[in-house]
């Protein structure tokens, strides 16, 4: 009888060993987004919201639609940086709740809104690959 190992048949040469199952919480630290007064929206730092997650294949600062003026303290708390994953916390359709996207800009940080959950990069992972993995059924 042959013992089945947790190793794929096809491998890239630089990888070896068995696959390891890890939890998202070992890679990401999760937080809910920023909610400011209505007067603070429309100017300031770019602000990731629902449409930015749904309409992009990776998010870059210049592609973000909205903006918000926040204090330095809130900018630090609600900062989204390269490799962070953002998830839809709520949406107009049930199917969209939980969808994710990755922030890929390496130059500028953005902020994230109240309908979004940020997964702050804590572990070692390839951001674009994790985003693709999260998008698979």
């Amino acid at each position: 009888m042959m013992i089945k190992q947790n190793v794929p048949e096809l491998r890239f040469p630089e990888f070896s060993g068995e696959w390891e199952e890890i939890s998202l919480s070992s890679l990401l630290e999760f937080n809910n987004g920023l909610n400011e007064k209505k007067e603070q929206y429309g100017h300031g730092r770019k602000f990731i919201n629902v449409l930015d997650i749904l309409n992009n294949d990776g998010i870059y600062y210049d592609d973000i639609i909205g903006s918000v003026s926040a204090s330095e303290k809130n900018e630090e708390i609600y900062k989204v940086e390269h490799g962070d994953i953002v998830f839809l916390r709520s949406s107009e359709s049930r199917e969209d709740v939980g969808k994710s996207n990755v922030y890929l800009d390496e130059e500028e940080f953005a902020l994230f809104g109240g309908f979004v959950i940020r997964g702050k990069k804590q572990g070692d992972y390839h951001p674009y690959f994790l985003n693709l993995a999260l998008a698979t059924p």
Side-chain angles (χ1 to χ4, degrees):
M1 184 167 121
M2 195 168 138
I3 298 173
K4 188 175 181 181
Q5 293 182 328
N6 188 11
V7 178
E9 290 180 31
L10 181 62
R11 295 300 291 263
F12 292 105
E14 60 270 11
F15 293 96
S16 61
E18 292 192 23
W19 285 40
E20 181 183 347
E21 189 173 308
I22 58 173
S23 67
L24 273 181
S25 63
S26 69
L27 299 176
L28 303 167
E29 180 182 311
F30 297 97
N31 297 97
N32 291 327
L34 175 69
N35 290 301
E36 291 286 7
K37 295 176 183 167
K38 66 180 178 179
E39 298 83 24
Q40 292 176 255
Y41 291 92
H43 53 92
R45 184 156 296 275
K46 295 286 185 113
F47 173 76
I48 298 170
N49 218 324
V50 173
L51 290 177
D52 300 305
I53 294 173
L54 293 175
N55 294 338
N56 293 298
D57 182 26
I59 301 171
Y60 293 88
Y61 190 81
D62 290 340
D63 296 330
I64 298 171
I65 300 165
S67 57
V68 64
S69 179
S71 67
E72 283 184 36
K73 178 183 177 187
N74 277 348
E75 281 195 353
E76 198 57 40
I77 294 169
Y78 299 102
K79 184 184 284 189
V80 178
E81 299 173 288
H82 179 266
D84 292 345
I85 307 286
V86 286
F87 299 84
L88 289 182
R89 187 174 133 193
S90 62
S91 183
E92 290 184 18
S93 71
R94 264 187 197 172
E95 296 79 29
D96 289 340
V97 174
K99 284 192 177 177
S100 64
N101 210 331
V102 62
Y103 191 70
L104 294 172
D105 200 304
E106 295 185 41
E107 304 296 321
E108 289 282 343
F109 72 89
L111 302 176
F112 68 109
F115 296 111
V116 175
I117 295 172
R118 177 197 60 204
K120 185 66 155 162
K121 186 175 185 193
Q122 302 296 308
D124 184 28
Y125 61 88
H126 188 284
Y128 193 70
F129 175 80
L130 180 58
N131 190 54
L132 291 174
L134 291 168
T136 60

